[in-house]
Each structure stands twice: as structure tokens, then as C-alpha cells.
Amino acid sequence: MAKPLVLLDVDGVLNPFGGPPGGFREVRVAPDGVHLTLWLNRAHGPRLVELAESTGSELAWASYWCDRANEWVAPRIGLPELPYVPIPPYPGHPDGVSLGAWKVRHVAEWVGDRPFVWFEDEPDAAERLLDHLAEGTHLLVSVDPDEGLTDLHLERARTWLSALGRDPGRDPR
Ligand SMILES: [Mg+2]
């Protein structure tokens, strides 16, 4: 069975919107020449790497940052370069697709039939995933965008991935 994926969003997950919580520091970045201030936590990288190693899973970006996360975010929190879901720029609402639905569609296509955990703050992402994938194939860990990723989120992911690992013959579909 292919390794399960652990998908990471950036804004609202590794970069919370709620100001400077404990453990975070202000970082100035300029992807594509656009100057931004992020709040990043150096503990996140080692904790995510440990989660992936201990559960036999693989980290990847699921964020509009795409490959830019490898240049601007990964080295600042202790993550290696990671594969990423290539999410095209949002085309806008006229075709009826919401921002969240657009992202979810591309994530679902990219993961194929690999089981995955996704740390995401988009409020309807869990519901939108079920438009594409069967229940039980994935775990959407919903993150409060003001707070960002916490140990509780990591433990939910660990529990789910460990159960998957104990039953490797199980077809998650
Ligand atoms: Mg987000």
C-alpha cells in the first residue's frame, strides 16, 4: 500500500491569523515579490516530521502557496522540501465553484487513492471532500485559523494514522 499522506495548509494552520500566540515569531517573506508577515512556530516542523516518521506517512503541502511553501515556510520551521499539490490560481466565482471547493477538487485529484490526513482551516473542506472521495479514506483535521496547528490536532492525526497502520490490508474504500 502506498504511504498515507499528511497534507499541510499554510495560512490559518502553520500561519495563524490570530496574532502572536505563544511559540510563534514574526517572519517577513516576499513570495513573488509580495511582502507578507507570517507568524510561524519552529516547533511545528520537528513535530510534523516526527508524526510522519512514526506513522510511516509522507508530508506534503496542500496550500495555495504550492512550491513557494518550500522556499518561504519550510526552512523557517524546520521542514525539508516537500511534494506539493499543484493548485492552479482560483479562477473566481462566476463558474459557481467556491474558493474552498476549487482547492478540495485539486487535492482530491492529486492524492488519488492514497489515504490521507489534512490539516486545514477551510470550514467546508470536510464536506467538499465527500463530493470526490468516500468516507473513511481520509481524515480532515479542522484547524481554528486564529489558533493554528496544536498538539491536539497532531494527536488526532496520529491516532487515525496508527489505526490505519495496524490494518495494512484494509482497503480504505
Ligand atoms: Mg488556510
Side-chain angles (χ1 to χ4, degrees):
M1 188 172 80
K3 279 184 172 186
L5 288 156
V6 175
L7 302 178
L8 307 174
D9 185 26
V10 174
D11 296 320
V13 174
L14 297 178
N15 168 42
F17 300 130
F24 288 75
R25 69 197 171 98
E26 187 177 302
V27 175
R28 290 174 195 277
V29 297
D32 301 329
V34 179
H35 291 268
L36 301 170
T37 300
L38 310 181
W39 291 101
L40 297 178
N41 185 337
R42 275 184 226 205
H44 275 158
R47 284 180 188 160
L48 287 163
V49 167
E50 191 279 330
L51 172 69
E53 283 176 356
S54 65
T55 58
S57 46
E58 183 182 6
L59 297 168
W61 300 110
S63 163
Y64 280 103
W65 281 74
C66 295
D67 196 25
R68 293 183 289 271
N70 282 322
E71 179 178 358
W72 297 100
V73 179
R76 290 167 172 84
I77 59 172
L79 281 178
E81 186 171 331
L82 302 176
Y84 62 94
V85 181
I87 306 172
Y90 178 53
H93 216 290
D95 66 353
V97 179
S98 70
L99 185 68
W102 179 256
K103 180 176 185 180
V104 164
R105 176 199 293 179
H106 290 93
V107 168
E109 270 173 25
W110 189 78
V111 297
D113 53 13
R114 291 173 74 175
F116 66 96
V117 170
W118 185 6
F119 297 116
E120 170 63 51
D121 67 306
E122 191 68 47
D124 67 349
E127 199 182 326
R128 294 280 74 81
L129 272 172
L130 296 177
D131 296 341
H132 304 274
L133 301 168
E135 220 164 325
T137 61
H138 57 272
L139 176 70
L140 196 298
V141 178
S142 187
V143 174
D144 176 348
D146 284 336
E147 191 182 27
L149 186 70
T150 68
D151 287 348
L152 282 177
H153 300 129
L154 294 167
E155 288 317 304
R156 273 195 69 198
R158 184 187 308 281
T159 301
W160 191 85
L161 289 163
S162 300
L164 204 63
R166 275 197 297 275
D167 191 5
R170 183 181 77 159
D171 179 350
R173 279 154 204 268

